[in-house]
Amino acid sequence: MNDHPASDALIDLTGSVPLSDALLALNNAHAMELSWLEPDRLAHLVAEAFLAKRIGEADALLLAFDQDADYDSPNFLWFRARYPRFVYVDRIVVAAHARGRGHARRLYLDLFEQALRAGHARVVCEVNAIPPNPASDAFHAELGFVEVGTGEIHGGSKTVTYLARPLTA
């Protein structure tokens, strides 16, 4: 039995599903937390993704990469320098109108399942420390992420906390 209406289904972005302007708008409305994307960059990221999923037309978005992705993010490269194998959550965002419905948790739980099935031992990500994001800190701690480092990016304009969550069957 499915507890989620069809509009709340997890939809894989890889393959033949066209990327919508609404997904790009969702990302760019949260560019401070996620980083701004142009349409061709979003298409490249989806093509490189270990997992790229959305809920609804643009209620929520998750993009995650494994260690082999062609990706130049300083945060991704930080993890690549330290772990031989991982899945990196590059961006996860839920639209304001869709918050409080468990979308982020559902996307993460699906990612954990897919990563474990692919033989990964950890999922990693970063959250902003400066500017702070206390809601994200609490959410990630609740999911079992622990701090594994910190870093300054974008010429010191942002400080991030690097997190990892071990995966177990």
Side-chain angles (χ1 to χ4, degrees), residues 90-120:
D90 181 61
R91 57 196 69 225
I92 185 165
V93 60
V94 177
H97 72 269
R99 292 193 181 136
R101 293 170 35 194
H103 290 337
R105 180 174 309 282
R106 285 182 54 227
L107 286 165
Y108 262 112
L109 294 177
D110 182 62
L111 174 63
F112 298 155
E113 182 180 311
Q114 301 296 329
L116 191 59
R117 211 177 299 159
H120 288 282

Side-chain angles (χ1 to χ4, degrees), residues 55-74:
I55 296 176
E57 179 61 26
D59 288 348
L61 168 68
L62 177 134
L63 291 178
F65 304 93
D66 70 11
Q67 67 285 336
D68 297 326
D70 176 18
Y71 192 34
D72 59 357
S73 156

